[in-house]
Amino acid sequence: HIILFTTGRGTPFGSPAPTVKISSNTPLSKKKPGWVDFDAGVIIDGNEGIQGLADRLYEYIRSVASGEIKTKTEQNGIRDLAIFKNGVTL
């Protein structure tokens, strides 16, 4: 199993299964490099097309599934963290 967790606010999340955190925007990816595995914000920034990004994401997931690379949660030893924010987020 692999979890694909999309985030736009940087919510930390981990689980017993490898958790790939996908940032919906580049500023978040740059602000939280220890949490975010993959920056999908490059589409919004106009730096990459959807097909190119999809190909890169597929290869990243394949590499995680085969054990070639570890996700940030695996690298940091986080297996059971889920902090969800209620109300206003700054």
Side-chain angles (χ1 to χ4, degrees):
H1 297 298
I2 294 177
I3 296 171
L4 304 180
F5 183 84
T6 58
T7 182
R9 299 186 306 178
T11 303
F13 176 82
S15 74
T19 303
V20 177
K21 283 185 286 318
I22 303 168
S23 172
S24 64
N25 62 81
T26 299
L28 172 64
S29 181
K30 290 180 179 178
K31 183 178 179 182
K32 305 286 185 179
W35 291 356
V36 174
D37 296 289
F38 192 87
D39 177 16
V42 295
I43 292 176
I44 296 169
D45 299 339
N47 295 328
E48 189 168 356
I50 291 175
Q51 188 59 54
L53 183 76
D55 293 343
R56 278 196 316 108
L57 181 58
Y58 175 81
E59 286 304 315
Y60 184 85
I61 294 167
R62 188 197 58 75
S63 295
V64 169
S66 68
E68 292 174 31
I69 59 173
K70 292 186 176 191
T71 65
K72 301 290 177 148
T73 55
E74 291 175 299
Q75 293 170 20
N76 295 320
I78 300 169
R79 298 277 190 243
D80 59 352
L81 177 68
I83 300 172
F84 294 97
K85 303 171 187 172
N86 291 324
V88 176
T89 302
L90 301 175

